[in-house]
Amino acid sequence: KNDEENSATCDSTPAGTHAMLRLAAFAFVATAAAVAVAANGVRVTVYRNGESSNGRDVTVTADDVPSAAEFALKLFERGLMADLHGVPEGVAADRVYNGDGQIVSSFSQLHDGDRLYLVAPGLHFVWPYVAKDHTVALTAVTGDEFGGGKRTLRLRSLSDSPRAFALDGFFDADDAANLIANVEAIQDPDFKLARSSVGPKTGDKREYSDVRTSENAFDSKSDTARKLIRRVFDLVRIPFDINLADGLQLVRYKQKQAYIAHTDWFEDSADPDFNFQPARGGANRFATVFLYLQEPEVGGQTVFPYGDPLPDQETTIPSELHELFPEPGSWEHKMVRNCYSKMAVPPKKLSAVLFYSQTGAGEMDRRSSHGGCPVLKGVKWGANLWVWNRLRHGIDPEQAPASSEHAHEKIGVTFRNVRRDKQPLDLYWKDMKLGEVLADTPGLRFDTYDGHSWNARLRGSSDVVWRHKVLYADGLGQILDIGDAAESIPFTERASAAAAAAAAAAVGVVVAASRACGREAWLLSVGLVREAC
């Protein structure tokens, strides 16, 4: 009888209540599982920036990831170091990226089997090769404000060294047509399609070479160009800053035109007064994205002489070679042979390729040498963007314009007093006092904008003891520690000789502190080092 009564009671319960009870039970189980995972941790493999081998398996718990900076520090405490060219021991990383190119700032981002990458202060994340045809799907790539919408594109591994990737879905036929039409309509003699030059331009001076016979022009103003430039920055995981790009270059190769193998980055001799070494605080071209807007009938590949041929690559030399370049000793004849025996990316319309000029350690990569193969039949149109790791050559940091696309975008900055003498500081925006920053406190937080200058003075004094220019390229959330140094060194500061010396000294402190001080060696997100021990 009791069973019958109980059954009747259950049967009389509303169906919605049953659903709620089931949902509550499911939520309880899911929460319990999440708590168990957080406590027991996940198993991940940690690599140095851009690397696909020599990873180290570690278990990470929720306590290890209170924030992005603390997670990097936790891994440093376990002896996991980031690569920095010129420092064999490595240095403490200040950011950890996952396989999707996102900074890990929360335990909820981690899963068993994840691959993580340690990035040294002042350097940028480099996409890892992982394996041939390894593919990463990237969504929500910017470009909305120019009508680009949220695109889904795929990054597919082509080569480990040189580091190169195929890009599927990066742009469409309308983009290609618009870029070509925009360039053909330019009448200004300084910007219209003309013979391509080589080397860094200084003032009105241009240099030309017999081994670069293409034509080029630049478009950085049209909506299509601006949209694609933004998309490139998203792809390489660098906050957009137009001062880190040369502009979108459009190139046209007619029959017989080509560009011999070369590197996109600059040697020190290009300008002895400029520091081109990224690992020593310098600036150089970091990565290149090349878009194939119109493919020729024959030829026109992008060849990488240090790379092995791709599995599906065309290796049969066309008959046009002997018709157009009959002299076996000519550079064009030799180059065509390389284009069918070395790694060569075909110029398929609406395809694109990403390749890096720098390694994950900040070393310039000679194996990134590449060339535009001679067009043997038809016409080739392409476009490319060079992204620099810091303010590019030719830009004065004091006169650098704020990134126009983000001039009105708020940047949240927390100012902290880490002076060893613990003296109170007055915080100023320009000449306006906005508050007092005390030692041993969480600090003061303000919303500011790209290019705004801040300074700090000892309480009640008019003497500036610290100054900093906020840049969008350093992120929308920044922590600025005001220490004993008079000036902070943001990642995007122009690589002057003084900045290079400061960066080199900072690296020395990192190495020494890493050996002797353990947790007390602290790396700041703006590129300074505080040796608190």
Side-chain angles (χ1 to χ4, degrees):
K1 181 180 180 182
N2 287 339
D3 287 342
E4 291 176 359
E5 289 178 352
N6 289 340
S7 176
T9 301
C10 288
D11 289 342
S12 65
T13 303
T17 302
H18 284 300
M20 292 178 64
L21 289 172
R22 287 195 297 270
L23 184 60
F26 176 79
F28 175 79
V29 172
T31 301
V35 170
V37 170
N40 298 326
V42 295
R43 195 71 173 166
V44 300
T45 305
V46 181
Y47 299 86
R48 295 192 173 192
N49 186 21
E51 295 301 311
S52 303
S53 59
N54 300 318
R56 178 171 157 186
D57 294 334
V58 298
T59 298
V60 178
T61 67
D63 291 340
D64 293 325
V65 201
S67 68
E70 284 286 339
F71 183 36
L73 189 61
K74 291 279 188 180
L75 294 179
F76 163 65
E77 291 173 343
R78 298 190 193 185
L80 293 164
M81 309 290 280
D83 266 341
L84 185 66
H85 180 53
V87 185
E89 305 94 329
V91 300
D94 67 345
R95 286 152 294 146
V96 183
Y97 285 78
N98 62 19
D100 292 327
Q102 303 290 345
I103 295 176
V104 178
S105 58
S106 168
F107 181 75
S108 63
Q109 296 174 259
L110 300 178
H111 307 87
D112 276 321
D114 278 354
R115 304 167 72 96
L116 305 182
Y117 304 91
L118 300 171
V119 180
L123 300 184
H124 293 294
F125 170 75
V126 170
W127 283 106
Y129 170 72
V130 182
K132 179 72 175 69
D133 288 330
H134 173 77
T135 301
V136 178
L138 306 175
T139 56
V141 178
T142 57
D144 289 21
E145 61 269 49
F146 308 114
K150 302 289 186 183
R151 294 184 68 85
T152 296
L153 62 93
R154 297 185 181 278
L155 180 80
R156 180 166 51 85
S157 296
L158 292 179
S159 169
D160 187 21
S161 180
R163 185 64 51 82
F165 303 86
L167 304 177
D168 301 320
F170 191 83
F171 68 112
D172 58 31
D174 287 340
D175 295 330
N178 289 340
L179 288 177
I180 294 174
N182 290 340
V183 165
E184 289 183 324
I186 295 175
Q187 298 299 318
D188 188 325
D190 291 330
F191 298 100
K192 65 184 296 186
L193 200 66
R195 181 183 175 184
S196 302
S197 59
V198 297
K201 179 185 176 184
T202 304
D204 295 327
K205 182 181 178 182
R206 293 179 182 269
E207 294 184 10
Y208 300 95
S209 171
D210 292 337
V211 294
R212 186 182 190 188
T213 54
S214 60
E215 300 165 289
N216 75 327
F218 286 87
D219 176 10
S220 297
K221 296 181 179 180
S222 72
D223 284 352
T224 301
R226 294 163 68 194
K227 172 183 67 179
L228 295 175
I229 290 171
R230 286 287 303 277
R231 198 171 288 163
V232 168
F233 274 87
D234 280 345
L235 171 68
V236 297
R237 298 311 199 214
I238 295 178
F240 174 73
D241 184 345
I242 197 61
N243 302 307
L244 273 65
D246 290 277
L248 190 69
Q249 177 183 228
L250 277 291
V251 291
R252 180 174 66 186
Y253 290 84
K254 296 180 179 178
Q255 189 180 49
K256 298 182 68 173
Q257 291 183 333
Y259 189 5
I260 202 168
H262 60 283
T263 57
D264 282 345
W265 52 272
F266 297 109
E267 300 277 3
D268 292 337
S269 58
D271 183 349
D273 296 326
F274 190 85
N275 176 10
F276 286 107
Q277 297 301 319
R280 299 204 305 268
N284 214 318
R285 285 176 176 165
F286 172 68
T288 301
V289 172
F290 193 97
L291 315 179
Y292 299 98
L293 309 179
Q294 176 182 305
E295 63 184 291
E297 295 179 54
V298 184
Q301 309 95 312
T302 301
V303 64
F304 294 83
Y306 291 108
D308 296 325
L310 301 174
D312 54 352
Q313 182 176 317
E314 177 61 61
T315 56
T316 302
I317 297 177
S319 60
E320 286 86 353
L321 167 63
H322 303 288
E323 300 170 10
L324 300 175
F325 308 112
E327 178 54 55
S330 69
W331 68 268
E332 294 99 334
H333 187 104
K334 295 177 181 177
M335 189 174 185
V336 171
R337 291 193 173 277
N338 266 348
C339 294
Y340 291 89
S341 61
K342 303 296 183 180
M343 173 182 166
V345 179
K348 183 178 179 181
K349 183 177 180 179
L350 303 187
S351 66
V353 62
L354 159 70
F355 56 93
Y356 285 94
S357 291
Q358 299 179 21
T359 68
E363 180 180 10
M364 304 316 300
D365 187 4
R366 294 194 177 279
R367 293 180 64 85
S368 67
S369 176
H370 59 285
C373 295
V375 168
L376 303 179
K377 186 177 182 181
V379 176
K380 168 187 169 183
W381 276 94
N384 70 274
L385 188 77
W386 297 294
V387 178
W388 290 63
N389 64 301
R390 298 175 188 254
L391 289 188
R392 64 180 175 83
H393 180 271
I395 289 186
D396 183 340
E398 296 303 320
Q399 302 299 323
S403 175
S404 59
E405 310 298 344
H406 299 282
H408 303 292
E409 196 158 349
K410 289 182 180 179
I411 301 171
V413 180
T414 299
F415 299 86
R416 303 189 303 194
N417 183 343
V418 297
R419 287 180 62 91
R420 293 176 181 175
D421 60 13
K422 299 185 181 298
Q423 290 196 56
L425 296 169
D426 291 334
L427 181 66
Y428 284 76
W429 173 62
K430 296 185 177 180
D431 291 320
M432 180 187 300
K433 180 180 175 180
L434 294 182
E436 192 173 72
V437 189
L438 304 178
D440 301 323
T441 68
L444 296 179
R445 186 188 183 283
F446 290 96
D447 286 333
T448 186
Y449 297 91
D450 188 32
H452 281 199
S453 296
W454 292 75
N455 66 85
R457 311 171 191 186
L458 296 180
R459 178 191 278 171
S461 171
S462 61
D463 296 330
V464 174
V465 296
W466 174 91
R467 67 182 72 249
H468 179 80
K469 182 179 181 179
V470 173
L471 295 175
Y472 177 85
D474 291 329
L476 293 178
Q478 303 178 25
I479 296 176
L480 299 180
D481 281 9
I482 307 173
D484 298 318
E487 217 172 312
S488 60
I489 306 173
F491 287 159
T492 51
E493 181 177 355
R494 182 180 178 217
S496 62
V507 169
V509 175
V510 175
V511 176
S514 298
R515 292 175 181 151
C517 311
R519 182 179 178 83
E520 298 304 322
W522 188 256
L523 295 168
L524 304 184
S525 63
V526 294
L528 292 178
V529 179
R530 172 162 57 91
E531 189 179 3
C533 63

